[in-house]
Amino acid sequence: MTVLRQRNEVSRALRRSLDTDAVIVSGPDHPLLVEAPDILVAEKGGLVAVYFPKAAEYSNPQRLYTRLVLARLALPPQTRHVLVHDHRKPRTAFSFEARSFAAVLSSRPRHIEELSKIARDPAFDGGHSQLPADVLISTRHRFAEALSMTKVIRRLSRSAKQANFGVQSRGTSGPYPIGAVGGRQGLVHEADISQRAWKSLDIQNLAVRTTRTAFTMDNGVPYPTDGARYGVVVIDEFRDFRGDPDKLVRAAAFAGWVLAPRNQKPMVPELIQRLQSRR
Amino acid sequence: MSQTSKRLQTLRALTTVALYRTGSSVFTHVDHELQEMGTSVRVSPQRRSHLLQVFHGIRALETALLEVAKSHGLTPTMSSLGAALYCFAAVPPTHPAHLGARDKSRFIGTVTKVRNTTMHQANVFPRSSREAEVTLGEIATCFSLLVR
């Protein structure tokens, strides 16, 4: 069964079992997330975020981990995050993620009733700790930092295009190695996807890199580590996202990435240096 | 369901969470305002639709933020969007309603200024679909950071 079909069936089942006041969003669009949970349920018990692993997430559980961590940080702290796995696939595929969810259910119909109970129960937290304030502070700070840098770069890029100048070299301008670079090992990720048009999947792939090094999950809480928290990616040019032009820039920043268009590539070493000093 | 509609439903979910957290019926009005925003998509001509979406979005956000402030025992200096943003930026970072200085400055530029222009100047409309969409994106972002 495809994820889309699962979403629709579970959403319908929830609508039948929950109060008419409940808000059930299938395929939510959150302004800070490229890949949000599959369903949001807002009921008397609070918010429940439901995840159906995609095929790519079964192949690479880090992708589900990234989706969970970023949603955990973006959604209200008391949100309960519930994994609904395909009952025909082995549950062991997500053995290390399973502990990170407030509940793990199978896609069998009787388990969907469990989901309704969780949505109605404000006391249910799956034994998880609430998100500490310092985790939120650090996440918001990273977001603001990365977004601010991207906006500055964007303005410089526009000015350079309007003035029809080439960008003056600020130092080495040769090709940059892809991977973590920095004065200390792995402080700031670097990537270059300027050879082709970039899209939302690219942002999610980048998010996997920073999320893997920047956080470690413990009892449902993503704690910041000493690993690389930021990244700088060279893109061909800025692109609007349909319906929300700045969505991808914002989502990239929320995952710690600064976007630099190709005509600002010589600025990348300076950006990396600034981000390193933010630690 | 369009992407814009999905975003709207997501904001409605966040509003419902705030409603149950605070017990305040004001969030019911915020929810109605969000629904008006959705209805405005179908209005013609397009510039009227843009104006109405921004108008309802800002009203929903302003009302929601003032109620969030009240629910935390905070008192903005005025009953306005800008004052609410300044209020959230003034509380300690550990406060659940804290807003960082950069985020505050950004929203003052992208939302509050648009609000003041749109609400107070005659015959002013968003200049393009893109301009309206950028404003609505910022409204949604501000909402997601603070309405919880």
Side-chain angles (χ1 to χ4, degrees), chain B residues 1-146:
Chain B
M1 194 183 279
S2 72
Q3 212 56 37
T4 309
S5 180
K6 295 272 189 186
R7 184 175 62 195
L8 195 62
Q9 295 304 313
T10 304
L11 298 184
R12 290 190 63 210
L14 296 177
T15 303
T16 304
V17 170
L19 167 69
Y20 286 126
R21 177 183 73 80
T22 62
S24 168
S25 60
V26 168
F27 288 105
T28 308
H29 300 301
V30 172
D31 185 60
H32 288 157
E33 200 67 40
L34 291 173
Q35 292 184 64
E36 286 293 333
M37 208 168 118
T39 310
S40 303
V41 171
R42 295 186 286 277
V43 164
S44 62
Q46 198 176 55
R47 70 175 195 164
R48 187 181 297 158
S49 168
H50 293 153
L51 180 66
L52 285 174
Q53 287 182 69
V54 170
F55 174 76
H56 288 300
I58 285 175
R59 285 203 329 179
L61 179 65
E62 186 165 328
T63 306
L65 293 192
L66 289 169
E67 197 61 19
V68 167
K70 186 177 162 188
S71 75
H72 287 292
L74 302 173
T75 314
T77 52
M78 287 197 306
S79 186
S80 72
L81 180 59
L85 292 173
Y86 272 94
C87 182
F88 293 133
V91 298
T94 49
H95 192 286
H98 173 73
L99 181 69
R102 281 190 212 241
D103 288 327
K104 178 207 77 181
S105 298
R106 192 173 80 252
F107 294 135
I108 295 286
T110 58
V111 183
T112 308
K113 282 193 176 152
V114 170
R115 171 213 184 270
N116 294 342
T117 307
T118 310
M119 300 295 193
H120 300 303
Q121 286 188 31
N123 205 27
V124 167
F125 295 80
R127 287 173 293 188
S128 63
S129 293
R130 189 182 189 279
E131 186 174 291
E133 285 167 356
V134 166
T135 303
L136 292 170
E138 286 293 289
I139 289 170
T141 304
C142 189
F143 211 100
S144 69
L145 289 175
L146 292 168

Side-chain angles (χ1 to χ4, degrees), chain A residues 67 157 221 278:
Chain A
R67 193 157 61 115
S157 174
V221 175
R278 293 294 189 265

Side-chain angles (χ1 to χ4, degrees), chain A residues 7 25-40 47 49 51 67 69-77 79 81 136 139-140 143 200 203-204 241-244 246-252 254-255, chain B residues 2-15 17 106-107 136-148:
Chain A
R7 264 190 211 165
V25 192
S26 175
D29 178 11
H30 192 285
L32 300 175
L33 303 172
V34 169
E35 289 188 1
D38 291 289
I39 298 176
L40 289 182
L47 192 64
Y51 301 75
R67 193 157 61 115
V69 167
L70 293 178
R72 187 82 173 89
L73 298 170
L75 292 171
T79 303
H81 298 259
L136 265 180
T139 303
R140 297 276 181 98
F143 168 54
S200 53
I203 299 301
Q204 193 63 8
F241 187 77
R242 187 171 44 90
D244 183 357
D246 291 335
K247 167 85 182 261
L248 294 184
V249 167
R250 224 186 287 125
F254 193 72
Chain B
S2 72
Q3 212 56 37
T4 309
S5 180
K6 295 272 189 186
R7 184 175 62 195
L8 195 62
Q9 295 304 313
T10 304
L11 298 184
R12 290 190 63 210
L14 296 177
T15 303
V17 170
R106 192 173 80 252
F107 294 135
L136 292 170
E138 286 293 289
I139 289 170
T141 304
C142 189
F143 211 100
S144 69
L145 289 175
L146 292 168
V147 180
R148 39 182 59 203

Side-chain angles (χ1 to χ4, degrees), chain A residues 110-139:
Chain A
R110 66 174 185 272
H111 288 177
I112 301 310
E113 182 51 37
E114 277 300 308
L115 200 48
S116 300
K117 286 183 189 165
I118 290 170
R120 285 190 291 260
D121 182 6
F124 180 87
D125 60 8
H128 277 179
S129 320
Q130 206 177 83
L131 209 57
D134 58 338
V135 172
L136 265 180
I137 292 166
S138 133
T139 303

Side-chain angles (χ1 to χ4, degrees), chain A residues 130-192:
Chain A
Q130 206 177 83
L131 209 57
D134 58 338
V135 172
L136 265 180
I137 292 166
S138 133
T139 303
R140 297 276 181 98
H141 178 80
R142 181 179 78 158
F143 168 54
E145 199 69 46
L147 188 61
S148 169
M149 274 199 187
T150 298
K151 284 183 180 280
V152 168
I153 297 284
R154 196 173 197 171
R155 277 197 293 271
L156 286 172
S157 174
R158 279 186 194 138
S159 302
K161 281 181 186 170
Q162 281 164 4
N164 207 25
F165 287 144
V167 174
Q168 290 184 7
S169 175
R170 290 171 177 250
T172 57
S173 59
Y176 304 105
I178 295 175
V181 297
R184 279 172 52 189
Q185 200 104 41
L187 273 187
V188 179
H189 291 279
E190 190 183 359
D192 188 328

